Amino acid sequence: MIDRDPVDVGEDFGRGRSGRVRRKPRGLPLRAVAPNAVTALALCSGLSGVRFAIGGQWESAVAMIMVAGVLDGLDGRIARMLHGESRFGEQLDSLSDAISFGVAPALIVYLWSLTALPRLGWICSLIFAVFCALRLARFNAKIDESEQPHKSAGFLTGVPAPAGAGLALMPMFFWFWTDEPRFASPYFVAPWVAFIALLMVSSIATYSWSSLKLRSNVRFEALALVVFLGAAMVSAPWHTLSIICVLYLISMPFSITSYAKIRRQRSSGARIPGSSSTPSA
């Protein structure tokens, strides 16, 4: 038997704590399969929304985007729970978000209303899809990270992609339960979609609801609120989604004011002589 020097085994091998030579793991770990499968399902759901829109099934098309949003919120939590985070999953999640919350809503809104304005409507749809991809690219590249609102402080930079998709589809929510033609007017939908696209790539501070922590004395009330929202989504989904979108828009001025206050506190704390750290959010 010929002894082998660990130095000569190449880059695929390493020495463990016991002194034995071991091979570095390759490929996708088994624990990362489940969250990536959920991400793939979200992508399939977003593309299915386009298919329903082509057939004129508008409610089913919007429902598929909502399902994609729910799955997008689950894949990250499943990955953290199973310790299945990976670079592959990160790239797949960004690709899924760009299609499910950028391309799919843009095509659905264009087929629903903006075909009456072929040029302007298509430009607004393109702006929304491209700006969604730009937002995700900025998030992955962490451009101007030191100057942007941080999730650790409870804020996000701009409107996240799932929320942007919901806001872009908000005229359809109102149209479903009011049947008012004004909500389907391309002269209203086109500038609205472009406005939401600008919010997605903006640097305004928006609340990061996943970073919020509930106090122990309000957890039962929060559970009751979740049950109420679930019942409302089942019995009156379009009314509920309309109210949620309006409340989210109303929360933006408060999030901007809150983040500006935190920045002032941090800057004033940094100027205090002898201070070793800045106050946390």
Side-chain angles (χ1 to χ4, degrees):
M1 181 176 180
I2 300 176
D3 294 334
R4 301 180 64 185
D5 189 349
V7 178
D8 298 331
V9 295
E11 296 181 353
D12 292 338
F13 291 85
R15 182 176 293 277
R17 293 183 179 178
S18 61
R20 296 179 179 179
V21 178
R22 63 183 182 182
R23 184 183 297 272
K24 290 183 180 180
R26 282 186 173 182
L28 193 67
L30 183 61
R31 61 179 178 272
V33 173
N36 290 324
V38 175
T39 305
L41 288 176
L43 177 58
C44 293
S45 181
L47 291 175
S48 297
V50 179
R51 180 260 179 190
F52 285 116
I54 294 174
Q57 299 172 283
W58 307 118
E59 293 189 3
S60 298
V62 174
M64 288 293 100
I65 302 299
M66 299 299 105
V67 171
V70 173
L71 295 175
D72 180 72
L74 291 176
D75 58 1
R77 288 167 174 78
I78 294 175
R80 288 187 292 269
M81 182 177 62
L82 299 177
H83 301 286
E85 299 93 339
S86 63
R87 290 289 299 173
F88 174 81
E90 180 181 352
Q91 299 301 323
L92 179 62
D93 184 71
S94 296
L95 178 62
S96 175
D97 289 352
I99 295 177
S100 299
F101 308 125
V103 177
L107 291 176
I108 291 173
V109 172
Y110 178 79
L111 294 173
W112 171 63
S113 171
L114 300 183
T115 51
L117 298 175
R119 295 183 179 179
L120 179 61
W122 184 243
I123 290 174
C124 293
S125 297
L126 283 178
I127 290 174
F128 183 84
V130 173
F131 278 20
C132 181
L134 290 177
R135 170 187 169 77
L136 295 169
R138 182 178 69 175
F139 176 80
N140 292 338
K142 298 181 180 179
I143 299 177
D144 299 330
E145 184 181 17
S146 59
E147 301 178 1
Q148 300 296 332
H150 290 278
K151 191 175 182 180
S152 59
F155 298 94
L156 296 173
T157 305
V159 175
L167 292 176
L169 296 174
M170 191 172 71
M172 300 185 72
F173 300 157
F174 282 95
W175 181 69
F176 288 152
W177 63 275
T178 63
D179 203 21
E180 284 287 340
R182 69 184 71 176
F183 292 114
S185 172
Y187 297 99
F188 167 71
V189 176
W192 175 259
V193 171
F195 171 69
I196 300 302
L198 291 175
L199 288 180
M200 293 174 68
V201 297
S202 66
S203 297
I204 65 173
T206 57
Y207 285 122
S208 173
W209 305 106
S210 60
S211 300
L212 298 180
K213 295 182 179 179
L214 297 176
R215 298 178 180 178
S216 58
N217 59 340
V218 296
R219 290 177 181 175
F220 179 79
E221 289 79 0
L223 180 61
L225 179 61
V226 171
V227 173
F228 174 78
L229 287 177
M233 286 293 296
V234 172
S235 59
W238 310 126
H239 300 71
T240 306
L241 289 172
S242 300
I243 294 174
I244 291 175
C245 290
V246 171
L247 292 178
Y248 185 80
L249 291 173
I250 294 175
S251 71
M252 288 184 186
F254 296 96
S255 63
I256 296 173
T257 304
S258 299
Y259 183 70
K261 182 179 179 180
I262 291 175
R263 290 194 64 179
R264 288 195 300 267
Q265 290 176 350
R266 288 180 171 177
S267 60
S268 61
R271 290 194 298 266
I272 296 176
S275 61
S276 58
S277 61
T278 57
S280 60

